[in-house]
Amino acid sequence: MTRMHSGLLRVVVAATVMLALVSVSRSAFAAAADTYKSKCAMCHGADGKGNTPVGKKMGVHDFSSPEVQKMSDDELGLIIAKGKNKMPGYEKSMKDADVKEMVTYIRQLGK
């Protein structure tokens, strides 16, 4: 194999790997969105502002608030997994990877 073909092969392989990772990431993000809609939106609202009857009653936090935005991903993940105050934990129904994707989804809502 010539040096040029070898370099081209590396570029093609790298591009293929990157496309596969992007595809997995989009799929995981879509799954997090579905989970959010089914488990979280009732209280936190579709936009993450907490402006729902249940959210207002429970005092949920707006994901764009400074209080939430200053939390680390690990802190948010722990709240999702273990729950906090009146919020139930989801560690029994969500895998660690699912919790991490939910943190990513919540961060996107807070922007």
Side-chain angles (χ1 to χ4, degrees):
M1 186 179 291
T2 67
R3 189 176 238 164
M4 186 172 100
H5 286 112
S6 176
L8 180 60
L9 181 61
R10 287 183 187 160
V11 169
V12 169
V13 168
T16 302
V17 168
M18 288 181 67
L19 285 173
L21 290 174
V22 167
S23 177
V24 168
S25 180
R26 284 185 183 163
S27 175
F29 190 80
D34 288 343
T35 300
Y36 181 86
K37 288 175 191 170
S38 69
K39 296 182 186 255
C40 312
M42 185 173 82
C43 297
H44 290 281
D47 60 1
K49 301 281 186 198
N51 194 17
T52 66
V54 176
K56 289 176 183 178
K57 184 176 180 180
M58 292 180 64
V60 301
H61 296 286
D62 177 346
F63 293 142
S64 64
S65 71
E67 181 180 0
V68 173
Q69 289 299 307
K70 74 178 180 182
M71 289 181 182
S72 71
D73 288 354
D74 288 340
E75 288 173 309
L76 284 175
L78 189 62
I79 291 169
I80 294 166
K82 301 288 185 185
K84 185 172 181 181
N85 299 326
K86 296 178 182 178
M87 180 182 145
Y90 293 100
E91 67 185 344
K92 292 183 180 178
S93 62
M94 294 175 72
K95 297 176 184 170
D96 288 343
D98 298 331
V99 171
K100 288 179 183 178
E101 284 299 324
M102 185 60 65
V103 169
T104 300
Y105 186 80
I106 288 170
R107 292 281 188 213
Q108 175 265 327
L109 286 176
K111 290 183 178 181

